Amino acid sequence: MAAPAPAPAATHLQPPLLLLPSPPRPHPPLRLRFLLPSPPPLRLRRRFPLLAAAAVSAGGGGGEEAARKAEKARQLQKRVLVGVAIGVGAGGIVVAGGWVFAAAVSAAVLAGSREYFELVRSTAGGGGTPPPRYVSRVCSAICALMPILTLYYGHMDVTVTFSAFVIAISLLLQRGNPRFAQLTSSVFGLFYCGYLPSFWVKLRSGLAAPALNTRIAYNWPILLGGPAHWTVGLVATLMAISSIIAADTSAFLCGRAFGRTPLTNISPKKTLEGALAGLAGCVLTTVLLSTVLRWPRSLLRAKPRKQTT
């Protein structure tokens, strides 16, 4: 009997060699600290934003903080330049007077009245009822017309009374029960946003007596109207607007630099230090201009001139 053939030996197959790619080595960070300052100049940051970002990232947290401070300084410089431009433009409008000044006041009144009624509408969730949109738009249009009418007619009592009566009738005739808050907010908007700013026009154009107490009046150029154009209303308006601009600018600059104590919850960015700086800037500007322009500080101190015979 033949012997069975021997079973083939078990062959141990080796698994195939897997050629896995080696993980890439991290490249060394780009060192731009010796190529560009940290932070780079503003002109280089504008022309090469990628290199500026790389330089800031290589510099670490200090570079980011320096870039943030530089950006704040640039924004502050921009606001100061815009404020100076607005001040020069406002001064030119005040000097021009007439319909130019009245039209500028009318545009400011229109913007302020629209902002007032939007504020009334946004705070209506606390329980109040804002006036309808057509009523607020009509009130804004009436407020914008008040400075123009003041220039040509000189008084606004009848206009305000008639406008308030028309607004009240329109609210009473609307559908549903009219709310008292709608009437009060509308009438107050007419008085606050339209009637009160009209006194700027009365102040500038109503006091037409020449103010010849300073050399500025005698040397006022003929191109701007001559000495007769330098009136009491012009001087009073210049002093009032200059004090407002000085108060706003002083409060903004000192509040940004030294403000620590919040003033009110309505405007969290306003501080007590800024408010005191604004008050001081307003007083100093008014005293300086009243001294330069020879404005009488008190009628009680004015001594009567001796009559010579």
Side-chain angles (χ1 to χ4, degrees):
M1 185 173 182
T11 58
H12 300 281
L13 298 177
Q14 298 293 333
L17 183 61
L18 300 178
L19 298 178
L20 298 177
S22 59
R25 296 181 179 180
H27 295 283
L30 182 62
R31 300 293 181 182
L32 294 178
R33 190 174 299 178
F34 300 100
L35 299 179
L36 292 174
S38 179
L42 181 60
R43 56 184 180 85
L44 293 180
R45 280 186 290 164
R46 290 180 176 177
R47 296 183 61 182
F48 308 101
L50 296 179
L51 294 180
V56 171
S57 61
E64 294 180 358
E65 184 67 23
R68 191 179 299 108
K69 290 182 179 180
E71 184 67 20
K72 287 184 178 180
R74 186 175 67 86
Q75 292 181 359
L76 180 61
Q77 182 181 5
K78 183 179 179 180
R79 291 184 179 181
V80 170
L81 293 178
V82 171
V84 171
I86 293 175
V88 172
I93 291 174
V94 172
V95 170
W99 67 268
V100 177
F101 182 75
V105 174
S106 178
V109 165
L110 179 61
S113 61
R114 290 180 63 88
E115 184 177 356
Y116 164 76
F117 285 107
E118 288 297 329
L119 178 63
V120 171
R121 190 170 300 278
S122 63
T123 57
T129 304
R133 287 193 177 273
Y134 74 92
V135 174
S136 61
R137 292 173 181 175
V138 170
C139 289
S140 299
I142 294 174
C143 291
L145 289 176
M146 285 184 183
I148 305 296
L149 296 177
T150 302
L151 177 65
Y152 292 103
Y153 294 100
H155 56 84
M156 293 303 304
D157 301 334
V158 178
T159 305
V160 173
T161 306
F162 180 75
S163 301
F165 176 76
V166 171
I167 295 300
I169 293 299
S170 63
L171 290 175
L172 290 174
L173 295 179
Q174 69 176 350
R175 294 181 179 180
N177 296 326
R179 301 295 180 89
F180 184 73
Q182 295 179 343
L183 179 61
T184 55
S185 60
S186 301
V187 175
F188 181 77
L190 288 174
F191 178 78
Y192 181 73
C193 300
Y195 182 71
L196 292 182
S198 298
F199 280 90
W200 284 106
V201 180
K202 293 179 69 67
L203 179 65
R204 173 62 183 90
S205 302
L207 301 178
L212 302 177
N213 296 328
T214 62
R215 295 181 180 178
I216 300 177
Y218 289 102
N219 298 327
W220 194 248
I222 302 298
L223 183 62
L224 298 178
H229 185 76
W230 190 263
T231 60
V232 177
L234 174 59
V235 176
T237 307
L238 281 176
M239 291 177 56
I241 293 182
S242 299
S243 62
I244 293 173
I245 295 176
D248 192 20
T249 305
S250 303
F252 173 75
L253 295 179
C254 295
R256 290 289 297 270
F258 310 105
R260 297 293 183 273
T261 308
L263 182 63
T264 176
N265 296 329
I266 300 177
S267 183
K269 294 184 179 181
K270 288 183 172 58
T271 58
L272 180 61
E273 293 81 1
L276 294 178
L279 178 61
C282 178
V283 173
L284 290 177
T285 302
T286 305
V287 172
L288 178 62
L289 289 179
S290 64
T291 303
V292 172
L293 300 177
R294 302 291 298 273
W295 187 263
R297 299 183 181 179
S298 177
L299 296 177
L300 299 178
R301 291 184 178 182
K303 296 181 180 180
R305 298 180 179 179
K306 296 181 179 180
Q307 296 180 356
T308 59
T309 57

